[in-house]
Structures are given as structure tokens and as C-alpha cells.
Amino acid sequence: MWNIADKSLKSRLFIGTALYPSPQIMQDAIRASGAGVITVSLRRQSPQQKGGLQFWDLIRDLGCELLPNTAGCHSAAEAVTTAQMARELFGTNWVKLEVIGDDYNLQPDPFGLVEAAEQLVKLGFEVFPYSTDDLVLCRKLLDVGCRVLMPWGAPIGTGRGLINPYALQTLRQRLPDTPLIVDAGIGAPSHAAKAMEFGYDGILLNTAVARAADPVVMAEAFRLAVESGRKAFEAGLMPERDLASPSTPVLGTPFWQQES
């Protein structure tokens, strides 16, 4: 168990609910992942009209914490309105905040993101902002009251993994007490393991599992990768070095010389 935003979770893997071949495969994959948190995107439907109620009931049956997101929002005002609708529908003050600034790579709008985060914190939300790996932006988000940060590994859905390891490691080193979750761009279990080895607190992904040939098996692979990466970080990875060092010492080892 670990604690984040005043809740205890059984897993450090967060997983999405979109793009699966069927609702049954989605449920099976999420269970195989062992994820403690699942993300859901609020469609432009009124909670009073019970839009998508059957789908939300299916999600609730999984017994995970819900993290509604403001996917598709392009302004702070739109994101704040969507977050308020999500809180009414799902009964949670958690929100994954997305304010998209570019439709080509879905890069967050840093100005709109900080503006929306500040408003939502004042409205009592626990804001999980999806951001780039920029240290200054992340500090601005902390300044307006965010307690968790979710920098990208790569643009959403690209599967490129950790395109800027230096920036991600810098964030971890400079913000040692802030929960950090890599969100977006994770395409393989090895990407997730590497982020966890850096000391990140969790991984949020969707496409890499949902679009796999076998989403259920891939979900299990990510579960194991996140667990192993975290264990490796906690155990302490050996430092990299340029000089080779034998694993078996030669001092005190007998040598035999063949006589001619």
C-alpha cells in the first residue's frame, strides 16, 4: 500500500478505460493490471440525463479509485466546467487536468493549465495535472496548490517512452517530496520500469494496453514492470561507471603455471 492525495492505494499503476476492443476485455485487462486507479473521460453529456450511466456502473464494479479527466479541453474555462460536471457525476474531488494547447502532439497549454489548476484547487479539487517535463511549469503548478504532478514521458499515444530522461530525472531530484506520476507516451513495460527506477511514484497509461494484441496479458506485463521497477529503486541500483570492475576479485586467488 502507498499513500497519495490522502488515499491509500494497492498499486502504483493508473490505467485508462478508452480504446479497448470490448467492455469485457477492458474489465479483464484492468483486473489483470492490478491498478488501483482508473481514469475516465467525461463525454459532453449532462449528469442529470444519466448519459453513459451503464458504462460508469461497469467501471464502478471494478472497485478502483476513479480519476475523471478533462480530456479534449482547450481552455481553462472549459476544463473547469468539465471538472465540475465530473465531480457531480462521479462523487470524487480528484481530477486529471488536461488543457491541450496543440492538436498535433496534444501538448498541454502551460498557461491554461496553471490557470485552470489554480481555479480548481480553490474549488476544493485534488488536481492531477498532465504537463510536460518542464521544471519551471511544474513548480508553478505546485505554487497554485497542486500536490501531485503528472509529467509526460512522450506525447499521448506515441508509445515513444521516456524521450527526455534527463528532464524526468531532474524533476525527481529537484522535487524530492512531490508525488510524480509519468503520464502519456509509455509504450512498453520496459519504459514503465525505467521510470520507476528513476524514483517515480507511479505510471499512468492506456493505449499501450488497450491497443495490444492481447490487452489482458499486456496489462499483467505492465503490472510486473511497475512492481519490479519500484523494487529496484528501493533496493538501490548500482551506479554506472566507465571502468570495468570484475565481479570476482583476483586478489588472493591462486594461479597455476603450466610447466613445460
Side-chain angles (χ1 to χ4, degrees):
M1 300 295 288
W2 67 296
N3 296 319
I4 184 170
D6 301 324
K7 293 186 180 182
S8 295
L9 301 178
K10 62 183 180 180
S11 169
R12 294 177 181 271
L13 180 60
F14 293 41
I15 195 166
T17 55
L19 306 176
Y20 291 89
S22 71
Q24 184 61 57
I25 291 177
M26 178 197 70
Q27 282 190 308
D28 293 343
I30 291 174
R31 289 192 177 100
S33 75
V37 176
I38 51 180
T39 63
V40 289
S41 177
L42 181 68
R43 303 299 179 186
R44 300 303 191 267
Q45 298 165 322
S46 169
Q48 288 79 14
Q49 296 174 355
K50 300 185 184 299
L53 185 59
Q54 185 176 15
F55 177 75
W56 308 139
D57 286 342
L58 183 150
I59 292 298
R60 291 190 183 97
D61 288 344
L62 293 166
C64 299
E65 294 287 345
L66 294 181
L67 180 62
N69 69 45
T70 62
C73 293
H74 289 74
S75 70
E78 186 181 12
V80 169
T81 298
T82 302
Q84 290 174 309
M85 293 174 63
R87 180 163 63 180
E88 182 177 352
L89 179 61
F90 298 112
T92 178
N93 69 331
W94 279 20
V95 62
K96 176 188 172 183
L97 177 60
E98 295 185 28
V99 182
I100 300 302
D102 182 84
D103 287 329
Y104 177 75
N105 67 0
L106 301 180
Q107 180 170 328
D109 173 356
F111 307 102
L113 187 65
V114 173
E115 179 185 350
E118 184 172 19
Q119 293 181 40
L120 289 171
V121 168
K122 290 178 179 178
L123 290 170
F125 283 88
E126 190 69 60
V127 180
F128 291 64
Y130 161 63
S131 72
T132 60
D133 50 22
D134 182 271
L135 175 62
V136 175
L137 171 58
C138 287
R139 281 179 166 165
K140 294 292 185 183
L141 290 166
L142 294 176
D143 289 344
V144 299
C146 295
R147 297 195 295 168
V148 179
L149 299 176
M150 299 205 303
W152 70 1
I156 294 172
T158 62
R160 291 180 174 270
L162 311 182
I163 59 174
N164 194 340
Y166 172 76
L168 291 173
Q169 289 176 295
T170 298
L171 283 179
R172 181 68 289 171
Q173 293 163 3
R174 300 293 294 275
L175 304 173
D177 300 321
T178 301
L180 298 177
I181 298 168
V182 172
D183 175 17
I186 298 295
S190 57
H191 300 158
K194 177 58 70 175
M196 297 304 291
E197 289 172 3
F198 286 167
Y200 273 70
D201 297 278
I203 301 293
L204 194 159
L205 56 85
N206 185 176
T207 308
V209 169
R211 289 304 195 199
D214 190 329
V216 177
V217 173
M218 185 61 76
E220 183 181 7
F222 272 104
R223 175 180 63 81
L224 295 172
V226 169
E227 291 175 357
S228 64
R230 182 65 187 183
K231 285 183 181 294
F233 170 73
E234 292 174 343
L237 294 167
M238 68 171 288
E240 295 182 3
R241 51 193 169 193
D242 295 327
L243 182 65
S245 175
S247 57
T248 302
V250 296
L251 291 177
T253 302
F255 288 87
W256 288 268
Q257 181 177 358
Q258 183 178 3
E259 294 182 358
S260 58

